[in-house]
Amino acid sequence: MSPASDPLPAGVPPRASAGIVVLATLAVVAALYFGRELLVPVALAGLFTALLRPLVRPFERAGLSAPIGSTVVMLVLLGVLGVGASLLSGPVHQWLAQAPDTFAAAQAKLQSLRRPLQAVTSAVEKIERSTTGAGAPVDSAGRGEAGRQPGATATRPARREPAPGEERATAGAGAAGAGGGGPSGGGSVASIAARVFGTTTAVLAGIVEVVLLTFLLLASGDKFVAKLVHVLPLRRDKREAVAMVREAEGVVTRYLVATALINLGQGALVGVAMALLHVPNPVLWGLLTFLLEFIPYLGGACMIILLALIGLATFDSVGQAVLPPAIYLAITTLQNNLVSPVAYGQGLRLNPVAVFIGVLFWYGLWGVPGAFLAVPLVATMRILGEHIDGLAPVSEFLGE
């Protein structure tokens, strides 16, 4: 028997071929993409369960059941969120009422800034036409200025005057299209309204799903961990599973709490800075900073774009207009280099390049919820790689 055909030693699992690994990876990615309507609420509920589970355990230690503790925690959380939403409804409503005028003013400023560039582009095109002769007039026979006979004049095709009935029909069609009062205009408004209400309904339904699933997971206590330990055959595997779940839960909780505290401080600084710059609705910009900074990279990019538009709409000079996004970028840079390393400590220990790739990957699969879940998912994959031998290369790539 040849050495290649010798059986593997006992206890050594066979290695899958590269083709099987690639096909399995593609199948998992496809399942994540096409099953996002089911998987996104489950993933969000699992994340919030890991965050809120430490708040339920004191009720269990006091002798109360997990459903009672979960009910108290969820009611308090929903009450705090409701009070915060009611307090912020005024600034949000005011900004939404002013948003069309604000963006129109910003667009007008952008058009004025584009005029010098358009003038330069037009001058370059004229120079190119004069040097290549591409812009020389051409007569009806296809001859240029040099090939035209002396005394010959260029002939233009006669312009056909529209008939009276045709002119009225054209004008009526144009008026109907501009006014939007015809069937097409009404259909357009109806389709826009349907999309808006459809999106709102879908968002509300998703929020209700996440809240209910989070409550059920909290009310179940440690039942799922116990079931996982029960189905594993070996005692060593049971200990590894419990340690893996506890470590992942601790890392996710520390990340979310630290991120919330960092975003709270950063939002307060941005709100104060916008108030000193006399930017309208500074409280709103502080709130948006707190919320959008939960989405790595993408949230900061959205804030810079929004503050740039607000600066263009608020201030007359370009130097003043760039102050809001510039100050926000300075605050974010200081936070990322001074505050975040101390706040997160050694809990995450993630490679920044891997985090950036993870954000892009999960955003491509699940959109904004995927970008929000990217860092906890990447951290969980690193922890799984540390406890499972087959995923050790994944943990090495994702770690610092």
Side-chain angles (χ1 to χ4, degrees):
M1 181 180 294
S2 62
S5 60
D6 291 339
L8 292 173
V12 178
R15 292 186 176 181
S17 63
I20 295 177
V21 173
V22 171
L23 291 176
T25 303
L26 293 177
V28 170
V29 172
L32 291 173
Y33 178 76
F34 291 106
R36 58 188 180 274
E37 293 185 0
L38 171 65
L39 297 176
V40 169
V42 173
L44 289 173
L47 182 68
F48 295 138
T49 301
L51 176 64
L52 300 175
R53 183 70 186 131
L55 300 178
V56 178
R57 288 198 176 98
F59 291 92
E60 297 177 352
R61 288 194 291 266
L64 299 176
S65 62
I68 295 177
S70 303
T71 302
V72 174
V73 170
M74 292 297 294
L75 288 177
V76 172
L77 178 62
L78 293 176
V80 171
L81 293 178
V83 171
S86 63
L87 292 176
L88 294 171
S89 60
V92 172
H93 178 73
Q94 182 181 359
W95 183 80
L96 290 176
Q98 297 174 352
D101 296 334
T102 300
F103 288 120
Q107 186 177 7
K109 295 283 183 62
L110 287 174
Q111 290 293 337
S112 63
L113 293 176
R114 288 176 56 187
R115 285 170 189 162
L117 297 177
Q118 292 174 349
V120 173
T121 303
S122 178
V124 171
E125 291 177 353
K126 289 180 180 179
I127 293 173
E128 290 180 352
R129 285 198 299 267
S130 63
T131 55
T132 60
V138 179
D139 60 8
S140 58
R143 295 173 296 182
E145 185 75 28
R148 189 177 298 161
Q149 295 294 330
T153 59
T155 59
R156 296 182 181 178
R159 182 176 179 271
R160 185 179 68 86
E161 294 295 334
E166 182 181 357
E167 184 176 1
R168 286 194 300 269
T170 305
S184 59
S188 177
V189 172
S191 62
I192 293 174
R195 286 197 297 268
V196 170
F197 285 111
T199 303
T200 304
T201 304
V203 171
L204 293 177
I207 292 175
V208 171
E209 289 179 7
V210 172
V211 170
L212 290 178
L213 189 55
T214 302
F215 172 75
L216 293 175
L217 289 174
L218 286 174
S220 65
D222 295 327
K223 185 178 298 183
F224 285 98
V225 178
K227 289 180 179 294
L228 175 64
V229 172
H230 180 72
V231 299
L232 293 175
L234 300 178
R235 186 183 299 272
R236 181 179 63 86
D237 294 338
K238 297 177 185 293
R239 290 196 299 267
E240 285 290 329
V242 173
M244 181 173 59
V245 171
R246 296 299 182 217
E247 184 178 357
E249 182 182 277
V251 167
V252 170
T253 302
R254 287 195 299 271
Y255 166 75
L256 290 176
V257 172
T259 302
L261 294 176
I262 292 172
N263 292 356
L264 184 63
Q266 186 174 346
L269 288 177
V270 171
V272 171
M274 295 303 109
L276 294 176
L277 291 175
H278 301 288
V279 175
N281 297 320
V283 176
L284 179 63
W285 300 116
L287 173 65
L288 286 178
T289 300
F290 173 78
L291 295 177
L292 291 179
E293 282 294 329
F294 278 102
I295 306 174
Y297 303 108
L298 300 178
C302 291
M303 280 299 301
I304 291 175
I305 294 173
L306 288 174
L307 289 176
L309 293 175
I310 293 300
L312 288 173
T314 304
F315 303 106
D316 295 329
S317 65
V318 178
Q320 291 178 316
V322 299
L323 281 178
I327 291 177
Y328 173 83
L329 185 60
I331 294 174
T332 303
T333 303
L334 292 176
Q335 179 266 118
N336 289 332
N337 291 279
L338 298 179
V339 181
S340 292
V342 178
Y344 293 128
Q346 297 297 319
L348 288 179
R349 293 184 288 115
L350 295 176
N351 186 353
V353 178
V355 172
F356 182 73
I357 295 174
V359 170
L360 295 180
F361 173 79
W362 288 106
Y363 177 75
L365 285 181
W366 291 350
V368 174
F372 171 71
L373 290 165
V375 175
L377 289 173
V378 172
T380 303
M381 287 298 298
R382 180 189 63 79
I383 294 172
L384 292 176
E386 291 179 351
H387 291 271
I388 300 175
D389 295 336
L391 297 178
V394 176
S395 177
E396 181 66 24
F397 172 76
L398 297 179
E400 291 181 341

